[in-house]
Amino acid sequence: QVQLVESGGGSVQAGGSLRLSCAIYGTTIGTYYMHFGWFRQAPGLEREGVASIYPTSSTSYADSVKGRFFISKDNAKNTLYLQMNSLKPEDTGMYYCAADSSPRPPVNMRYRGQGTQVTISS
Protein backbone atom coordinates (compact mmCIF):
# COMPACT_ATOMS: atom_id res chain seq x y z
CA GLN A 1 0.00 0.00 0.00
CA VAL A 2 1.38 3.37 -1.03
CA GLN A 3 1.42 6.03 1.68
CA LEU A 4 2.32 9.68 1.22
CA VAL A 5 3.17 12.08 4.05
CA GLU A 6 3.41 15.80 3.33
CA SER A 7 5.28 18.40 5.36
CA GLY A 8 6.63 21.91 4.97
CA GLY A 9 3.47 23.95 4.88
CA GLY A 10 3.12 27.15 6.85
CA SER A 11 2.25 30.83 6.80
CA VAL A 12 4.36 33.32 4.87
CA GLN A 13 3.92 36.76 3.40
CA ALA A 14 3.32 37.34 -0.27
CA GLY A 15 6.53 37.16 -2.23
CA GLY A 16 8.00 34.56 0.07
CA SER A 17 8.92 30.94 -0.55
CA LEU A 18 8.11 27.53 0.87
CA ARG A 19 9.29 24.04 0.06
CA LEU A 20 6.86 21.20 0.52
CA SER A 21 8.09 17.66 1.01
CA CYS A 22 6.29 14.38 0.49
CA ALA A 23 7.79 11.24 2.02
CA ILE A 24 6.79 8.16 0.04
CA TYR A 25 6.23 4.70 1.50
CA GLY A 26 5.22 1.45 -0.13
CA THR A 27 6.79 2.24 -3.50
CA THR A 28 10.02 3.65 -4.86
CA ILE A 29 9.91 7.10 -6.35
CA GLY A 30 12.23 6.00 -9.11
CA THR A 31 9.98 3.13 -10.19
CA TYR A 32 9.61 3.39 -13.96
CA TYR A 33 5.82 3.33 -14.02
CA MET A 34 5.05 5.65 -11.08
CA HIS A 35 3.77 9.17 -11.66
CA PHE A 36 3.70 11.82 -8.95
CA GLY A 37 2.14 15.22 -8.53
CA TRP A 38 0.77 17.93 -6.30
CA PHE A 39 -2.68 19.42 -6.19
CA ARG A 40 -4.28 22.01 -3.94
CA GLN A 41 -7.66 22.98 -2.66
CA ALA A 42 -8.75 26.33 -1.28
CA PRO A 43 -11.91 26.71 0.81
CA GLY A 44 -14.97 26.84 -1.42
CA LEU A 45 -13.02 26.08 -4.56
CA GLU A 46 -12.45 22.91 -6.57
CA ARG A 47 -9.22 21.01 -6.38
CA GLU A 48 -6.56 22.26 -8.77
CA GLY A 49 -3.67 20.30 -10.16
CA VAL A 50 -0.44 22.18 -9.56
CA ALA A 51 2.43 20.10 -10.90
CA SER A 52 3.31 16.63 -12.15
CA ILE A 53 6.53 14.71 -12.58
CA TYR A 54 6.72 11.67 -14.82
CA PRO A 55 8.93 8.55 -14.73
CA THR A 56 11.20 10.24 -17.26
CA SER A 57 11.50 13.17 -14.77
CA SER A 58 9.82 15.50 -17.22
CA THR A 59 7.48 17.94 -15.53
CA SER A 60 4.32 19.90 -16.18
CA TYR A 61 2.69 22.80 -14.36
CA ALA A 62 -0.59 24.62 -14.11
CA ASP A 63 -0.48 27.98 -15.85
CA SER A 64 -1.18 29.69 -12.54
CA VAL A 65 2.13 28.50 -11.04
CA LYS A 66 4.36 28.16 -14.08
CA GLY A 67 7.71 29.85 -13.51
CA ARG A 68 7.12 30.08 -9.74
CA PHE A 69 6.69 26.46 -8.60
CA PHE A 70 9.10 23.62 -9.28
CA ILE A 71 8.49 19.93 -8.69
CA SER A 72 11.38 17.54 -8.13
CA LYS A 73 12.16 14.17 -6.65
CA ASP A 74 15.06 12.75 -4.67
CA ASN A 75 15.46 9.06 -5.39
CA ALA A 76 17.90 8.53 -2.51
CA LYS A 77 15.45 9.98 0.02
CA ASN A 78 12.35 8.61 -1.72
CA THR A 79 10.86 12.07 -1.38
CA LEU A 80 8.92 14.39 -3.66
CA TYR A 81 9.29 18.16 -3.38
CA LEU A 82 7.44 21.27 -4.43
CA GLN A 83 9.49 24.46 -4.32
CA MET A 84 7.15 27.44 -4.27
CA ASN A 85 8.53 30.91 -4.95
CA SER A 86 6.99 34.36 -5.35
CA LEU A 87 3.97 33.18 -3.41
CA LYS A 88 0.68 35.01 -3.79
CA PRO A 89 -2.39 35.12 -1.51
CA GLU A 90 -4.26 33.09 -4.14
CA ASP A 91 -1.81 30.24 -3.56
CA THR A 92 -3.38 29.72 -0.14
CA GLY A 93 -4.86 26.27 0.34
CA MET A 94 -4.30 22.70 1.41
CA TYR A 95 -1.61 21.06 -0.68
CA TYR A 96 -1.67 17.35 -1.37
CA CYS A 97 0.93 14.97 -2.71
CA ALA A 98 -0.41 12.33 -5.09
CA ALA A 99 0.81 9.20 -6.87
CA ASP A 100 -0.44 6.71 -9.42
CA SER A 101 0.89 3.90 -11.57
CA SER A 102 -0.89 5.46 -14.57
CA PRO A 103 -0.48 8.94 -16.07
CA ARG A 104 -3.42 10.84 -14.58
CA PRO A 105 -3.89 14.46 -13.52
CA PRO A 106 -2.81 14.89 -9.89
CA VAL A 107 -6.38 15.44 -8.71
CA ASN A 108 -7.33 12.02 -10.10
CA MET A 109 -4.33 10.03 -8.90
CA ARG A 110 -5.09 6.92 -6.89
CA TYR A 111 -2.97 7.71 -3.85
CA ARG A 112 -2.86 10.97 -1.91
CA GLY A 113 -1.57 12.22 1.40
CA GLN A 114 -3.37 14.03 4.20
CA GLY A 115 -2.26 17.44 3.00
CA THR A 116 -0.29 20.34 4.39
CA GLN A 117 -1.70 23.84 4.82
CA VAL A 118 -0.18 26.81 3.02
CA THR A 119 -1.34 30.31 3.96
CA ILE A 120 -0.08 33.40 2.17
CA SER A 121 -0.80 36.82 3.63
CA SER A 122 -0.77 40.04 1.64
Side-chain angles (χ1 to χ4, degrees):
Q1 179 73 9
V2 176
Q3 291 186 317
L4 309 171
V5 181
E6 303 95 337
S7 61
S11 298
V12 299
Q13 289 191 325
S17 297
L18 283 172
R19 188 177 79 157
L20 306 183
S21 299
C22 174
I24 298 164
Y25 304 94
T27 190
T28 302
I29 199 169
T31 301
Y32 71 93
Y33 55 79
M34 288 300 294
H35 299 70
F36 297 90
W38 292 90
F39 67 92
R40 64 189 180 186
Q41 186 164 24
L45 298 179
E46 292 192 359
R47 292 174 297 176
E48 177 190 18
V50 173
S52 297
I53 188 164
Y54 305 98
T56 57
S57 293
S58 62
T59 58
S60 64
Y61 299 92
D63 287 343
S64 58
V65 306
K66 202 169 292 183
R68 300 188 298 121
F69 289 14
F70 301 94
I71 188 172
S72 63
K73 56 185 179 178
D74 185 327
N75 289 4
K77 296 182 178 180
N78 217 38
T79 300
L80 183 72
Y81 299 101
L82 184 68
Q83 177 68 43
M84 306 187 296
N85 302 323
S86 302
L87 284 160
K88 304 175 181 181
E90 51 264 42
D91 294 320
T92 293
M94 188 71 79
Y95 282 71
Y96 299 87
C97 171
D100 203 303
S101 57
S102 297
R104 294 189 173 93
V107 298
N108 294 328
M109 287 184 176
R110 178 177 180 182
Y111 305 103
R112 62 187 61 172
Q114 295 299 308
T116 185
Q117 178 67 37
V118 171
T119 303
I120 312 302
S121 58
S122 57

